[in-house]
Amino acid sequence: MPSGKLRIALVGGTGNQGPGLALRWALAGHEVFIGSRRAEKAARVASELSERLRAVGVDYEFKHGQNQDVVPEADVVVFTIPFKGVRPTCELLAPKIGAGCVVISPVVPMKKAEFGLTIELLPEGSAAELIASLIPHARVVGAFHTVSAGLLNAIPEPVKGDVVVCGDDREAKEVVMGLVRDIPDLRPLDGGPLAYSRVLEALTPLLITLGKRIGQPDLGVKFI
Amino acid sequence: MPSGKLRIALVGGTGNQGPGLALRWALAGHEVFIGSRRAEKAARVASELSERLRAVGVDYEFKHGQNQDVVPEADVVVFTIPFKGVRPTCELLAPKIGAGCVVISPVVPMKKAEFGLTIELLPEGSAAELIASLIPHARVVGAFHTVSAGLLNAIPEPVKGDVVVCGDDREAKEVVMGLVRDIPDLRPLDGGPLAYSRVLEALTPLLITLGKRIGQPDLGVKFI
């Protein structure tokens, strides 16, 4: 795993959290690939995001391609996809993802409840553990569950909040904690093993529901 | 429900979170009753807590008694008990708790997991909803899940953090939000209906596990 500049592939990078992470990591000097199921969509979003960086005075060209084409050379793959896409995406990408590749899961299995959103319980325990079971040669790390797409998108404003990072491989977790620090002013916290994602993923529906109720749609969290 | 000075009965008030809440609400001018299963223990802790207030220059005498003797006249009853005590305590106290009494549940059903603590799933959905089902004439409010006993105890230091309050009775929720504001510098947030305690109670094992891991045993939370 190289230190410094990383090759980061955002699977489903045209969706909700993908563009904001892409912008932030481009600004931090990484080589960012926008992946999508459709090559044209990836190309369009890559072009729009490059334009947004030019608007803040940064000359940068995002790479892009279909998900299966952007992951093979990546140091870090990020699953910025909804939970329902996890299983087919893993089946498609597992043969393309390199051994030891760091895979970040911000995925949260949510469902509607009478009071708002809640976590959907999985036999595998969590989305991150499901991904780890489907891509066993990758080093899966859970992170970025508590950071809103809206705040990530609002470059060059700093993003307030904490990101709890969990995983079973210490080096992979360190890489991801570095990627959190690359986004001002986010703070990474070591949440321990990957199984901690079972409680960690539950923070997302809690934040979305509470944020709607109190009128703060981009609600984040700080541990004090 | 009177405004201003309230009669607050802490059921199991000699335990973990009870003494700190008792000290804080005494300092805010409320009439606080320390309840316990054993009258002598309640008397001893009430005396120790009165002594602690004298040490900071405040003359105050805590009332005390067995749980079933302190709840009948209370405006607010707080269940500062472990989850395993909920059912027998509710059965004992339901006939003694007045109609419309505000009952605060900071109770969290937790169990050990390989990675730390996690929430125990209940058929009733949450500890707060279980209490509401067992004392249907009370107005149950979930609150104080994210405030450590250690910080509450450390008078006169302010307590940093947020307390999400949820319940189905607006007036009862307002009373509890006032009791949060009575503790500097806690901030109450309206978490909506009582069923939101299903996700809210999960914050406690998340905070305890993370706090241990990062070496902050009194970890709290702030929504930003």
Side-chain angles (χ1 to χ4, degrees), chain B residues 14-142:
Chain B
T14 61
N16 186 32
Q17 215 177 16
L21 287 172
L23 289 167
R24 299 289 176 169
W25 286 328
L27 287 172
H30 298 292
E31 189 177 352
V32 179
F33 294 72
I34 307 292
S36 173
R37 279 178 296 182
R38 293 193 292 118
E40 317 81 64
K41 192 174 178 190
R44 177 169 54 75
V45 170
S47 161
E48 288 166 6
L49 292 175
S50 299
E51 187 55 47
R52 283 198 60 200
L53 288 184
R54 272 191 290 280
V56 294
V58 177
D59 191 34
Y60 188 95
E61 285 295 333
F62 286 91
K63 308 285 192 347
H64 54 85
Q66 282 191 288
N67 290 325
Q68 59 270 37
D69 297 328
V70 297
V71 300
E73 301 302 316
D75 305 304
V76 176
V77 169
V78 191
F79 270 52
T80 44
I81 56 172
F83 175 71
K84 68 176 177 351
V86 162
R87 197 173 284 272
T89 304
C90 284
E91 281 161 7
L92 175 70
L93 301 186
K96 308 279 185 176
I97 289 177
C101 180
V102 175
V103 171
I104 301 179
S105 171
V107 179
V108 177
M110 290 189 282
K111 62 180 178 185
K112 282 192 182 146
E114 49 182 313
F115 56 83
L117 291 173
T118 187
I119 199 81
E120 186 158 12
L121 295 172
L122 306 178
E124 295 80 6
S126 64
E129 289 166 285
L130 172 60
I131 294 170
S133 74
L134 295 170
I135 317 177
H137 56 286
R139 295 184 290 174
V140 178
V141 173

Side-chain angles (χ1 to χ4, degrees), chain A residues 114-115 117-119 121 129 151 160-162 164 173 187 189-193 195-196 198-200 202-203 205-207 209-210 213-214 216 218-224, chain B residues 114-115 117-119 121 129 151 160-162 164 173 187 189-193 195-196 198-200 202-203 205-207 209-210 213-214 216 218-224:
Chain A
E114 49 180 315
F115 56 82
L117 290 173
T118 187
I119 198 82
L121 296 171
E129 290 166 285
L151 295 183
K160 296 256 179 284
D162 288 339
V164 185
K173 208 155 58 173
R187 177 179 70 155
L189 293 172
D190 183 350
Y196 189 63
R198 292 173 196 198
V199 287
L200 201 49
L203 267 177
L206 184 149
L207 285 172
T209 304
L210 184 60
R213 187 162 299 280
I214 67 175
Q216 269 184 257
D218 290 319
L219 201 66
V221 73
K222 196 87 189 145
F223 296 97
I224 58 170
Chain B
E114 49 182 313
F115 56 83
L117 291 173
T118 187
I119 199 81
L121 295 172
E129 289 166 285
L151 295 182
K160 296 256 180 283
D162 288 337
V164 186
K173 209 155 57 172
R187 177 180 70 154
L189 292 172
D190 183 349
Y196 190 63
R198 292 173 195 196
V199 287
L200 201 50
L203 267 177
L206 183 150
L207 285 172
T209 303
L210 184 62
R213 185 161 301 277
I214 66 174
Q216 268 184 259
D218 290 320
L219 201 65
V221 73
K222 195 88 189 145
F223 297 96
I224 58 170

Side-chain angles (χ1 to χ4, degrees), chain A residues 7-35:
Chain A
R7 292 164 63 98
I8 304 171
L10 293 155
V11 170
T14 60
N16 185 31
Q17 217 177 14
L21 288 171
L23 290 168
R24 299 290 178 170
W25 287 327
L27 287 172
H30 299 293
E31 190 178 351
V32 179
F33 294 72
I34 306 291

